[in-house]
């Protein structure tokens, strides 16, 4: 309303435009917004139902889980399933393993990808586009195609069943898209800022570290979470490269549990919730970087 | 290498002839003394340094992607017995992976799985992004909730949906009808779970792209009397067209290559009703240890990826 008033004050011609422009802001209180809320509520239900059902199951005693007449809200709550998962199973170890491997792999990815992204954006040369295109094309290679050869590679280098091979393979898997995202970010930073720093006596690496890196923080955050989620959720590589229980990663642990005979759903869903929590926390903390990272990396052709 | 910075062109070339100059730390050793030439330096031929900075990525990708795919291609042309590579058999493995009626059924199922998932996930992602881009209350909360399935792994998604759709103890009124025992419903459930984990990424990418649509353009269109649908078709979609294509490419590759979800949710059943190429590649290699045949399946899969990837890239190019 205030805006409409101020528009009137500016005279007739502006008013016509103003009211039109105002409409999207003014109208959501009306019928349109109700449909938007309905749509969003439906989507939220779709997104949450499977997760909430698991949470509900994880809080039930086994007698309520195996019940032909299931209820959403447990009639008597128990944390017994969580106690068993946290104290008597290997899941905390699996979660820790996955966390360590994922962090190491993402850091390795970024250490490799950042200089490459910088070069791609700031140091052009003939044939660079083709080179970058080739790097990106490797993302078309199906993971399943390179699994057996990578297994051979791991065995022949003696790295089979170690975290090192996991970190290397994960980094190689994530590096192309990280370069892509980070290059978008470096592109969006005006070159003048670095030039100014260098005229002021900064070396190229000094300008990179002290001037460019702080500006790139959202991009690095975005690339971090993208790579982290992919690695955290991997099953194939983890199940191929590692066999010892102490070094098992969480998705393999879950699958192992499922394929064992006689699934205790209460415990399994408790384990699922335990594995979901860390990644949900990370996602919530870093989600604003995520949108920025995606905007820089993926909206460019 | 110390003075390479100062005089641009000739010494750059000298640096370039040192083949092992990939280390970014090179820069530290270089004095930052020669300020006046800074701008010229910036534009001078930068190939050696550029390649040097890219070298770690190149090594990594070559070692873990290029060498293995070459090896897999070789493997697909040989007879294998467990871990031993036997005789060269040419395209025999491919004859089995492409020529038999079972193989053709696999391919057909894969195409159904990929295309139906795409047809649902892409419009759903776009619709959600359009809604989430509007100003309304609790927007951040809605975004967080709606994007949540993105962080759920394929293994966990399979567990969650398996348990939700459980005919005996699940909360849905299925009347002890087991969707995983029916060939059509099993594929439906698989696609549902697949869409569930993949629409958030599509929505996030679309949302990021929607924020680049100039507000003035939308206002101008509205002043000119364009309705909502008209604005979507004539203003919004053309602006985010490249993102739509990128999302479609990403999801297509993701769906074609998907093993974990299929393996953990249906394991290809009932009676291979949800058997896809990627699952077949996985099982031939890791369950039956037919490494050559498994490699052949995965090369076929790679072929599909290239085919679709290249087609999209062509569309992208011609539209520009």
């Amino acid at each position: 309303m205030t805006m409409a008033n101020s528009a009137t004050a500016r005279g007739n011609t502006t008013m016509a435009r103003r009211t039109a422009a105002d409409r999207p802001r003014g109208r959501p209180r009306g019928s349109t917004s109700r449909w938007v809320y309905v749509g969003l509520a439906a989507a939220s239900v779709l997104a949450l139902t499977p997760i909430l059902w698991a949470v509900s199951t994880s809080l039930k005693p086994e007698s309520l889980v195996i019940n032909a007449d299931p209820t959403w809200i447990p009639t008597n709550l128990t944390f017994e399933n969580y106690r068993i998962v946290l104290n008597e199973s290997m899941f905390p170890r699996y979660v820790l393993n996955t966390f360590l491997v994922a962090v190491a792999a993402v850091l390795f990815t970024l250490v490799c990808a950042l200089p490459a992204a910088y070069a791609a954006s700031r140091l052009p040369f003939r044939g660079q586009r083709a080179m970058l295109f080739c790097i990106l094309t490797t993302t078309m290679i199906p993971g399943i195609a390179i699994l057996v050869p990578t297994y051979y590679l791991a065995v022949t280098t003696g790295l089979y069943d170690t975290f090192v091979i996991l970190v290397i393979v994960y980094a190689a898997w994530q590096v192309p898209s990280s370069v892509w995202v980070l290059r978008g970010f470096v592109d969006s930073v005006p070159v003048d800022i670095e030039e100014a720093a260098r005229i002021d006596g900064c070396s190229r690496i000094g300008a990179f570290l002290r001037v460019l890196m702080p500006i790139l923080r959202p991009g690095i955050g975005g690339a971090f979470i993208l790579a982290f989620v992919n690695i955290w959720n991997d099953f194939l590589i983890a199940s191929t490269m590692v066999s010892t229980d102490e070094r098992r990663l969480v998705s393999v642990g879950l699958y192992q549990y499922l394929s064992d005979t006689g699934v205790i759903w209460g415990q399994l869903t408790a384990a699922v919730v335990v594995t979901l929590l860390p990644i949900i926390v990370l996602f919530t903390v870093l989600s604003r970087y995520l949108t920025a990272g995606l905007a820089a990396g993926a909206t460019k052709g | 290498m110390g003075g390479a910075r100062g005089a641009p062109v000739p010494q750059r070339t000298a640096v370039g002839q040192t083949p092992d100059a990939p280390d970014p730390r090179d820069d530290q050793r270089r004095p930052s003394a020669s300020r006046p030439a800074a701008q010229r330096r910036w534009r001078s031929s930068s190939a050696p340094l550029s390649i040097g900075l890219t070298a770690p990525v190149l090594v990594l990708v070559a070692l873990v992607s290029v060498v293995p795919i070459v090896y897999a291609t070789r493997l697909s042309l040989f007879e294998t017995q467990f871990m031993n590579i036997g005789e060269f058999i040419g395209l025999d493995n491919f004859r089995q992976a492409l020529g038999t009626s079972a193989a053709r059924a696999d391919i057909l199922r894969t195409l159904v799985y990929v295309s139906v998932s795409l047809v649902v996930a892409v419009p759903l992602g776009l619709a959600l992004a359009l809604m989430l881009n509007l100003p309304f209350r609790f927007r951040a909360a809605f975004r967080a909730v709606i994007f949540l399935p993105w962080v759920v792994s394929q293994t966990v998604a399979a567990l969650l949906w398996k348990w939700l759709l459980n005919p005996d103890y699940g909360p849905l009124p299925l009347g002890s009808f087991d969707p995983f025992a029916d060939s059509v419903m099993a594929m439906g459930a698989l696609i549902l779970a697949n869409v569930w984990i993949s629409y958030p990424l599509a929505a996030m990418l679309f949302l990021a792209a929607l924020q680049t649509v100039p507000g003035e353009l939308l206002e101008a269109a509205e002043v000119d009397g364009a309705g909502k649908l008209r604005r979507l078709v004539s203003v919004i979609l053309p602006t985010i067209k490249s993102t739509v294509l990128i999302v479609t490419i990403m999801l297509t590759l993701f769906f074609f290559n998907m093993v974990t979800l299929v393996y953990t949710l249906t394991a290809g059943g009932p009676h291979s009703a949800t058997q896809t190429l990627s699952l077949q590649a996985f099982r031939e290699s890791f369950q039956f240890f037919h490494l050559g045949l498994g490699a052949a399946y995965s090369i076929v899969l790679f072929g599909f990826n290239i085919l679709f990837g290249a087609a999209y890239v062509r569309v992208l190019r011609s539209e520009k």
Side-chain angles (χ1 to χ4, degrees):
Chain A
M1 261 301 145
T2 37
M3 285 196 94
N5 284 342
S6 67
T8 331
R10 257 180 267 148
N12 278 341
T13 33
T14 12
M15 199 189 81
R17 280 198 61 196
R18 262 293 159 191
T19 35
D22 238 12
R23 214 181 288 150
R25 238 169 280 145
R27 239 180 23 193
R29 319 262 166 266
S31 60
T32 337
S33 86
R34 212 166 297 148
W35 284 110
V36 169
Y37 278 113
V38 169
L40 291 174
S44 307
V45 169
L46 174 71
L48 285 181
T49 306
I51 299 173
L52 289 182
W53 178 240
V55 173
S56 162
T57 304
S58 70
L59 295 169
K60 285 175 187 168
E62 198 57 18
S63 62
L64 278 181
V65 173
I66 305 295
N67 190 323
D69 194 23
T71 52
W72 277 88
I73 296 163
T75 41
N76 50 342
L77 277 176
T78 172
F79 288 96
E80 179 64 11
N81 292 319
Y82 285 93
R83 193 191 61 75
I84 293 172
V85 166
L86 291 176
N87 292 337
E88 288 166 23
S89 80
M90 288 291 282
F91 272 101
R93 180 62 184 268
Y94 299 158
V95 171
L96 180 72
N97 286 347
T98 315
F99 187 79
L100 289 176
V101 168
V103 167
V106 174
L107 290 180
F108 188 33
T109 305
L110 291 179
V111 166
C112 293
L114 261 171
Y118 176 84
S121 175
R122 294 288 195 256
L123 299 163
F125 62 90
R126 275 174 74 103
Q128 189 183 42
R129 274 185 69 88
M131 189 180 80
L132 290 171
F133 189 74
C134 284
I135 294 177
L136 198 68
T137 313
T138 61
T139 56
M140 282 194 196
I141 297 176
I144 179 68
I146 60 168
L147 220 47
V148 170
T150 325
Y151 170 81
Y152 278 131
L153 185 78
V155 171
T156 47
T157 51
L159 292 172
Y160 177 72
D161 202 20
T162 63
F163 284 167
V164 176
I165 189 72
L166 283 177
V167 169
I168 293 173
V169 175
Y170 283 144
W173 174 36
Q174 289 304 312
V175 107
S177 43
S178 291
V179 171
W180 212 252
V181 167
L182 290 171
R183 192 192 69 146
F185 261 91
V186 182
D187 275 345
S188 69
V189 179
V191 99
D192 316 19
I193 297 178
E194 281 158 82
E195 279 182 0
R198 294 192 57 197
I199 289 165
D200 289 346
C202 252
S203 62
R204 191 188 280 278
I205 189 133
F208 175 74
L209 287 178
R210 264 173 256 145
V211 182
L212 196 59
M213 281 284 275
I215 307 176
L216 285 182
R217 211 173 288 153
I220 296 171
F224 186 98
I225 184 165
L226 278 171
F228 189 93
V229 167
N230 283 334
I231 294 171
W232 182 273
N233 288 340
D234 164 72
F235 167 83
L236 283 184
I237 296 168
S239 72
T240 314
M241 297 297 158
V242 165
S243 59
T244 313
D245 195 36
E246 281 77 43
R247 284 190 279 275
R248 192 161 284 165
L249 300 195
V250 77
S251 52
V252 184
L254 281 174
Y255 181 75
Q256 212 73 31
Y257 191 97
L258 184 74
S259 51
D260 285 352
T261 46
V263 178
I264 301 167
W265 281 98
Q267 287 174 24
L268 184 61
T269 47
V272 163
V273 173
V274 167
T275 67
L276 277 179
L277 274 179
I279 193 88
I280 288 177
V281 169
L282 187 84
F283 171 68
T284 320
V285 172
L286 289 179
S287 61
R288 61 202 171 96
Y289 293 138
L290 183 67
T291 325
L294 291 172
T299 50
K300 296 190 174 186
Chain B
M1 219 179 271
R5 272 264 177 108
V9 184
Q11 294 197 22
R12 283 269 160 208
T13 334
V15 174
Q17 280 158 358
T18 325
D20 49 355
D23 198 340
R25 279 170 301 170
D26 275 353
D27 266 316
Q28 284 171 327
R29 279 178 241 132
R30 291 175 185 171
S32 51
S34 42
R35 259 164 259 166
Q39 282 194 327
R40 272 186 66 203
R41 222 185 297 134
W42 204 264
R43 296 194 177 89
S44 61
S45 161
S46 44
L49 179 62
S50 195
I51 294 177
L53 290 174
T54 321
V57 170
L58 292 174
V59 170
L60 209 54
V61 166
L63 205 65
V64 188
S65 290
V66 179
V67 171
I69 193 72
V70 171
Y71 188 90
T73 314
R74 203 181 90 96
L75 200 59
S76 70
L77 301 174
F78 282 82
E79 191 179 49
T80 59
Q81 194 142 43
F82 293 98
M83 293 297 165
N84 303 316
I85 299 174
E87 270 178 66
F88 178 83
I89 50 167
L91 296 175
D92 274 9
N93 284 326
F94 286 92
R95 235 160 261 145
Q96 206 175 332
L98 281 170
T100 63
S101 62
R104 273 191 294 260
D106 284 346
I107 293 173
L108 191 67
R109 266 194 299 271
T110 307
L111 292 175
V112 168
Y113 176 64
V114 172
S115 53
V116 176
S117 299
L118 272 180
V119 165
V120 181
V122 174
L124 179 66
L126 184 60
L128 288 173
L130 285 168
M131 287 195 272
L132 287 170
N133 197 36
L134 296 170
F136 59 87
R137 270 155 42 111
F138 311 119
R139 184 156 75 159
F142 270 119
R143 274 188 195 180
V145 167
I146 288 174
F147 292 162
L148 198 56
W150 179 61
V151 300
V152 178
S153 68
Q154 295 176 36
T155 328
V156 170
L159 289 178
L160 292 177
W161 282 97
K162 209 175 204 160
W163 182 227
L164 186 73
L165 297 175
N166 187 302
D168 301 318
Y169 312 120
L172 304 181
L174 294 170
S176 76
F177 167 76
D178 187 357
F180 296 110
D182 178 90
S183 54
V184 176
M185 291 308 281
M187 182 58 101
L190 182 62
I191 290 173
L192 178 64
N194 185 25
V195 167
W196 186 75
I197 49 169
S198 33
Y199 81 81
L201 183 65
M204 286 190 280
L205 288 163
F206 286 138
L207 187 60
L210 283 178
Q211 280 155 11
T212 65
V213 177
E216 311 91 70
L217 214 60
L218 286 172
E219 285 180 15
E222 201 180 1
V223 171
D224 290 345
K228 276 190 191 304
L229 191 66
R230 191 60 209 250
R231 263 176 287 156
L232 175 66
V233 173
S234 307
V235 181
I236 298 176
L237 283 182
T239 321
I240 64 165
K241 196 167 52 193
S242 67
T243 307
V244 175
L245 273 162
I246 289 169
V247 168
T248 313
I249 297 177
M250 284 175 67
L251 290 185
T252 308
L253 300 182
F254 182 60
F255 296 161
F256 264 116
N257 298 340
M258 183 173 287
V259 173
T260 310
L261 183 75
V262 189
Y263 182 57
T264 39
L265 189 63
T266 66
H271 306 297
S272 68
T274 52
Q275 180 99 272
T276 60
L277 271 178
S278 49
L279 182 68
Q280 195 67 330
F282 178 74
R283 295 175 88 172
E284 290 295 348
S285 301
F286 289 91
Q287 250 176 310
F288 312 132
F289 294 102
H290 300 148
L291 297 187
L293 185 57
Y297 271 109
S298 57
I299 298 296
V300 170
L301 201 59
F302 187 33
F304 272 107
N305 286 345
I306 293 175
L307 199 71
F308 280 83
Y312 291 130
V313 168
R314 278 195 71 162
V315 175
L316 200 66
R317 287 250 172 87
S318 66
E319 298 274 327
K320 265 186 180 170

